[in-house]
Amino acid sequence: MDKIRTAVIAGAGIGGLTAATALIRRGWRVTIYEKAASLDPGGTAIALAPNALRALESIGVDVQARSTPRTTGGLRTPNGDWVIRTDEHLGDGLAVLPRGELIDLLRPAAADLRLDTTITGVTAKSLVTDRGEVEADLIVAADGIRSVVRQGRFPKHPGLRYANYTAFRFVAPFDTDGILASETWGRGARFGIVPMSAGQVYCYAALNAPAGRPYEDPRAELRRRFGGWHAPIGALIEAAVEVLQHDVYELTRPLPAYHFGPIAILGDAAHPMTPDLGQGGCQAIEDAVVLAQVLEGGAVRDRLPAFTAARHRRTVTIVRQSRRMARVGQLSTPLVVSARTGAMRLVGRLPARFTERALSPVIDWRP
């Protein structure tokens, strides 16, 4: 009888849980270590692009049945004018659902989940936790943007840099009838609206701000900055259940590889990116599915270079595209913002196939 291969995963976020599901389907025994005391992600939501939906489908996770596809909307100005409309069908469409529902779908019953466990380091063959060292055939670092594993294996890497803006997220109970998905761009500020099922709307916002400046009352700051923008932004802010704020960071430069010995690094631990293409969670899902695929039929140390080869160029390219989008979206000089709006209007007049072609390398990916 073949020996059952073992994996330990640092982090029970979307990337870690997807990796656990994908590995278990291929016969691995998996243990997940998570510092939080529960998997409750709070009242936020996530939008999954077609590339992530295909990856999840390949490991038997059906998200479409639990979500509402949204394929229409566009880009607006603060007074409500439409600059770009995306009424055409975009690939297989986006799926939008509460983050907690996705966590429930991904949590594999066969995994050994150890909550309230802090990752303190990693050796050449084990994961180090506050409860001791754990050895396995494979160590998966899915421990997020401030990954302890990444810092331990690449100690000379310069680490994170601030993207010069802070982000807000919330879900609001709201009548979704007639509401289209949209982003509204102003001066150094953006506001996104994504209708969901069951009378809920997912919203996000971005503001130019110094790093490390948490607002005592995030809702009041949103009200001050966006209250005068077009409807229904003001009403959505007032209806928000809870407003979360976090500064946006990315790596100063890409990691040289996403593996080291028996260690694979994925998701935000490997390639944190700004949220401007909506691909952070999607790329973590892709990473996890590809990792399980490349490990099939070979020794871990022999096969992990194929993981880096399959994922490095794609993720680095998407990180750069997202950064460029952030820089354009967060422009604040009045004359430059006016020129940006004019340029976007020209883009909006192009046939839909041209704008879709720009996104196709990202969303057309298949496992």
Side-chain angles (χ1 to χ4, degrees):
M1 182 179 295
D2 292 338
K3 175 181 176 291
I4 295 177
R5 297 200 286 180
T6 60
V8 292
I9 299 177
I14 290 172
L17 292 176
T18 304
T21 301
L23 290 167
I24 288 170
R25 281 177 60 88
R26 294 174 181 269
W28 290 69
R29 185 168 65 243
V30 177
T31 305
I32 310 171
Y33 294 89
E34 168 58 45
K35 67 179 179 180
S38 75
L39 293 185
D40 181 11
T44 60
I46 186 168
L48 297 176
N51 51 306
L53 296 177
R54 295 187 200 103
L56 290 172
E57 183 181 5
S58 75
I59 58 171
V61 179
D62 182 9
V63 172
Q64 293 281 20
R66 302 272 295 268
S67 66
T68 300
R70 299 286 173 180
T71 59
T72 61
L75 181 66
R76 308 181 78 173
T77 63
N79 65 9
D81 290 344
W82 288 97
V83 178
I84 297 177
R85 291 295 298 267
T86 55
D87 293 329
E88 298 288 334
H89 186 67
L90 186 61
D92 297 327
L94 295 174
V96 187
L97 72 164
R99 190 172 289 261
E101 289 190 12
L102 180 59
I103 293 295
D104 288 342
L105 286 170
L106 288 173
R107 180 173 177 172
D112 182 4
L113 178 61
R114 310 286 182 89
L115 297 171
D116 202 19
T117 304
T118 301
I119 307 302
T120 60
V122 67
T123 72
K125 61 179 181 178
S126 65
L127 186 68
V128 184
T129 78
D130 59 355
R131 301 185 183 189
E133 291 190 23
V134 186
E135 292 189 13
D137 299 314
L138 170 68
I139 299 168
V140 180
D143 52 338
I145 188 170
R146 301 188 185 279
S147 170
V148 172
V149 178
R150 182 188 70 229
Q151 295 171 23
R153 300 321 299 169
F154 299 97
K156 295 183 179 180
H157 191 278
L160 301 171
R161 66 179 169 198
Y162 182 49
N164 296 318
Y165 72 92
T166 192
F168 302 80
R169 297 173 288 135
F170 65 85
V171 172
F174 209 81
D175 182 5
T176 57
D177 187 36
I179 296 181
L180 299 179
S182 65
E183 266 200 17
T184 302
W185 288 10
R187 291 176 51 194
R190 289 174 289 164
F191 197 97
I193 298 173
V194 185
M196 298 169 59
S197 59
Q200 292 183 308
V201 178
Y202 173 51
C203 298
Y204 55 90
L207 291 175
N208 290 349
R213 180 184 170 182
Y215 292 98
E216 184 175 339
D217 187 346
R219 187 197 307 268
E221 183 62 20
L222 290 179
R223 187 184 295 125
R224 184 181 75 84
R225 295 295 299 269
F226 299 102
W229 287 24
H230 65 80
I233 290 176
L236 287 167
I237 293 171
E238 297 305 322
V241 175
E242 178 187 19
V243 180
L244 303 179
Q245 180 200 353
H246 67 280
D247 288 347
V248 177
Y249 286 86
E250 61 180 352
L251 283 185
T252 304
R253 65 170 183 259
L255 293 180
Y258 296 158
H259 73 282
F260 192 101
I263 302 166
I265 307 176
L266 59 79
D268 282 346
H271 44 71
M273 62 186 70
T274 69
D276 301 270
L277 291 180
Q279 281 290 313
C282 296
Q283 291 306 302
I285 290 169
E286 284 188 17
D287 286 348
V289 169
V290 171
L291 175 63
Q293 289 176 336
V294 301
L295 290 175
E296 192 74 6
V300 169
R301 290 174 182 265
D302 294 338
R303 297 299 298 156
L304 278 182
F307 173 64
T308 291
R311 300 302 301 157
H312 195 271
R313 177 179 293 183
R314 173 168 170 79
T315 54
V316 168
T317 298
I318 292 174
V319 166
R320 290 171 178 165
Q321 290 175 325
S322 192
R323 181 188 309 136
R324 286 194 291 266
M325 182 66 75
R327 289 173 177 170
V328 173
Q330 293 303 123
L331 291 170
S332 59
T333 305
L335 185 61
V336 176
V337 169
S338 178
R340 179 189 67 188
T341 301
M344 292 296 100
R345 289 189 191 280
L346 291 175
V347 171
R349 295 191 184 106
L350 294 173
R353 66 179 182 274
F354 289 100
T355 52
E356 289 182 11
R357 188 179 301 164
L359 283 174
S360 62
V362 176
I363 66 172
D364 285 351
W365 180 93
R366 296 177 182 274

